[in-house]
Amino acid sequence: MIAFEPGVLGEAASFLASVYCGILIGFVYDVFYLFRLPFKNPWLIGVIDILYYICAACMAAAAMLYINCGTFRLYIYLAIGSGILLYVCFPHRLMKLGVEKFTKKQLHRKQ
């Protein structure tokens, strides 16, 4: 367990650790996104999505236990959500553009 100091500094450290967890959850989304690309079957894509949600929930729960012993704090959930949004706004867009360029190159090679 992380031993955060009590008080404002400890709460700030908890907040930043939660933002980091959200960024990791966003990265895991991209990994699952790459797994989904070759499949066209909606049922299989649904199963992959459910696996992602289970993985993300486990990551968030583990982070909550690790950061503050599972104590419910609304700002922790908001921090995880803001970390996901930070990832979606910046690195996810770059990764998605790279994947799209790569797949277009592969399609042109096959033709």
Side-chain angles (χ1 to χ4, degrees), residues 34 92-104:
L34 291 174
H92 172 70
R93 288 184 181 180
L94 295 174
M95 195 283 303
K96 195 169 182 180
L97 286 173
V99 168
E100 287 174 358
K101 285 183 181 181
F102 179 76
T103 55
K104 283 182 184 178

Side-chain angles (χ1 to χ4, degrees), residues 39-50:
F39 302 109
K40 303 295 181 204
N41 185 345
W43 287 97
L44 191 55
I45 290 174
V47 168
I48 293 171
D49 285 347
I50 290 171

Side-chain angles (χ1 to χ4, degrees), residues 17-37:
S18 299
V19 170
Y20 179 65
C21 174
I23 291 170
L24 286 176
I25 289 173
F27 176 75
V28 169
Y29 174 79
D30 277 342
V31 171
F32 275 86
Y33 173 75
L34 291 174
F35 285 138
R36 282 179 46 172
L37 283 177

